[in-house]
Amino acid sequence: AMDLLARLAADGLLNDDAASCLDGAAGVERRSAVLVGVTGDGKSSTGNTLCGSAVFSVSDGFKSETRECAHADVKRSAGDRIILWRVIDTIGLHDTDISQKEVLDRFSLFADRTADGIDAFLFVVRWGRFKPEHDAALASFASNCGEAALRHTVLVFT
């Protein structure tokens, strides 16, 4: 376990004190949030904001930087509670460089990173008009994850 923690820390996937929570420490609540949305609307940047550091690669244009799911674990305190948040960045729905089937196959891989379940989906939308591609991405998300997932989805405007 220590080798894994050392590798995660070396790769910048743990904040300074999150590693202490991964070994099953008592009293630690585990939560997860999955970032969802179209390419270029700020999923990775939102993840970096949530984590407090640049753990996810960010594109400098309209071409997707995120090609596969990635995650980071971050320790937060809420009063006397310790919460280990797993933030999962996903490939952009309706990525134009690969087929829609491949996008959905890659998108679905977030489930492998959420053994404790999902607390929230954050559907990230660039501030402005809700465009047809957002509607299509939301429909793909609902068909892929189930209508029940929408009850656990928050719109995040960037």
Side-chain angles (χ1 to χ4, degrees):
M2 217 35 123
D3 290 337
L4 173 62
L5 295 177
R7 281 192 315 234
L8 290 172
D11 289 342
L13 296 177
L14 297 176
N15 70 349
D16 291 338
D17 53 2
S20 65
C21 297
L22 291 178
D23 60 7
V28 175
E29 296 178 37
R30 295 178 184 277
R31 301 280 183 247
S32 64
V34 180
L35 300 162
V36 181
V38 300
T39 299
D41 273 9
K43 292 181 302 303
S44 299
S45 294
T46 300
N48 288 339
T49 298
L50 292 171
C51 293
S53 62
V55 294
F56 301 115
S57 296
V58 177
S59 167
D60 60 357
F62 293 105
K63 197 169 179 89
S64 177
E65 181 70 26
T66 306
R67 308 305 293 160
E68 306 289 337
C69 287
H71 75 273
D73 294 307
V74 181
K75 180 180 170 184
R76 298 284 185 237
S77 298
D80 59 349
R81 300 178 333 175
I82 297 172
I83 303 169
L84 180 65
W85 275 96
R86 174 158 285 185
V87 179
I88 302 164
D89 192 16
T90 63
I91 187 170
L93 295 171
H94 294 274
D95 188 300
T96 54
D97 290 344
I98 56 178
S99 73
Q100 188 59 20
K101 181 189 179 319
E102 182 67 19
V103 167
L104 291 177
D105 288 347
R106 290 184 189 186
F107 172 77
S108 298
L109 295 175
F110 75 81
D112 295 340
R113 299 170 187 263
T114 58
D116 295 325
I118 299 160
D119 294 286
F121 291 98
L122 305 178
F123 194 92
V124 179
V125 179
R126 184 173 302 281
W127 179 255
R129 228 171 97 211
F130 199 82
K131 299 176 183 170
E133 60 262 26
H134 295 110
D135 205 25
L138 191 57
S140 292
F141 167 69
S143 68
N144 201 28
C145 297
E147 292 288 325
L150 294 175
R151 289 192 299 269
H152 302 280
T153 302
V154 176
L155 280 176
V156 177
F157 293 98
T158 60

